[in-house]
Every structure is written in structure tokens, then in C-alpha cells.
């Protein structure tokens, strides 16, 4: 992953989202140790404090838990928490923006749904 240092999204949030994606993709499983703040700092060439802030976000969301002296580990409910969060926040925001844009362009609901279906088929390789 390449961090977007020019965007409006803070780097520590990008780090947290990257780790969430890694968990969703099965690269980190329940009770498995994740990268330390120093490993993340080295991987992404960032300050360890920034990496720590990203890890802290995930601890606060109950995606990761700390074992004193051992590091951060994936919680049992991590995948469910991430999926719920992304559905309720990210996906809802994108749908709201999509509907708003469609209304501004006078694209009807049937046409919009057909565009979504077509894109879904293309992304699945159908």
C-alpha cells in the first residue's frame, strides 16, 4: 500500500484502514499478532508515533487488543466489527454521494441501479 500524504485523510487513519483490510483479507487471523508500531513505521517510512496512533484507533474500536510486553493481537470479533463499521459509515456515505450525484444529473433510480448491476458484473468478470 502507498500512503496518500497529500490527501485530507490522516496517515494514522490510513494505517488503521490498511490493517483492517489485511484482517478482512485473512492476512491476520483471530488472536494473531499484528505489526508493531516500529514495524509499521519501517514498512511505511513514517514516525512510530503515527503508526502507534493508527494501532490505538483499532484498540479503541475493539479490533485489536494489547498483551503487555507482547504486542497487539486481533480480537475474536475483529472481522464483524470492521464489516459493520464499513457498511454503516463508508458504504452509506458513498451511497449518499452516489444518489445525490445521480439526482443532480437527472439519472433515474432504474438507470442508476442498472449501472450498479453492470459494474458489479464487470468487477466479477462476468
Amino acid at each position: 500500500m502507498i500512503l496518500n500524504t497529500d490527501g485530507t485523510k490522516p496517515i494514522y487513519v490510513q494505517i488503521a484502514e490498511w490493517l483492517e483490510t489485511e484482517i478482512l483479507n485473512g492476512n491476520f487471523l483471530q488472536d494473531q499478532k499484528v505489526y508493531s508500531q516500529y514495524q509499521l513505521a519501517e514498512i511505511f517510512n513514517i514516525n512510530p508515533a503515527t503508526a502507534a496512533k493508527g494501532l490505538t484507533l483499532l484498540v479503541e474500536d475493539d479490533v485489536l487488543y494489547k498483551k503487555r510486553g507482547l504486542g497487539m493481537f486481533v480480537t475474536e470479533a475483529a472481522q464483524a466489527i470492521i464489516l459493520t463499521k464499513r457498511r454503516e459509515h463508508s458504504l452509506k456515505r458513498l451511497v449518499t454521494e452516489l444518489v445525490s450525484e445521480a439526482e443532480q444529473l437527472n439519472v433515474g433510480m432504474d438507470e442508476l441501479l442498472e449501472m450498479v448491476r453492470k459494474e458489479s458484473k464487470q468487477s466479477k468478470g462476468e
Side-chain angles (χ1 to χ4, degrees):
M1 175 183 133
I2 298 172
L3 297 174
N4 181 0
T5 56
D6 297 328
T8 58
K9 188 179 287 187
I11 292 173
Y12 70 93
V13 172
Q14 293 178 56
I15 295 294
E17 289 176 350
W18 177 76
L19 280 168
E20 287 178 345
T21 300
E22 291 293 295
I23 292 167
L24 287 177
N25 289 339
N27 295 326
F28 291 107
L29 304 174
Q30 175 185 334
D31 296 319
Q32 186 175 357
K33 184 176 180 178
V34 298
Y35 297 116
S36 72
Q37 69 187 62
Y38 300 105
Q39 289 171 317
L40 290 169
E42 188 173 321
I43 292 168
F44 294 106
N45 196 29
I46 59 172
N47 187 305
T50 302
K53 205 168 176 182
L55 290 168
T56 298
L57 280 180
L58 297 177
V59 170
E60 290 170 355
D61 287 346
D62 294 323
V63 171
L64 299 179
Y65 65 93
K66 295 179 186 181
K67 283 188 179 178
R68 189 174 179 99
L70 296 177
M72 305 275 193
F73 296 80
V74 179
T75 65
E76 182 178 342
Q79 284 195 342
I81 290 167
I82 296 165
L83 288 172
T84 299
K85 181 175 94 172
R86 289 192 176 183
R87 279 188 184 120
E88 291 178 359
H89 299 288
S90 303
L91 197 54
K92 186 174 182 179
R93 180 184 45 79
L94 290 169
V95 169
T96 300
E97 290 173 9
L98 178 64
V99 169
S100 177
E101 184 71 11
E103 287 172 353
Q104 288 180 341
L105 298 174
N106 292 321
V107 173
M109 203 50 59
D110 291 337
E111 184 180 355
L112 182 59
L113 289 173
E114 185 54 38
M115 292 170 75
V116 171
R117 284 187 191 98
K118 184 177 178 181
E119 182 60 33
S120 177
K121 285 181 181 179
Q122 285 180 346
S123 70
K124 292 178 184 174
E126 294 178 8

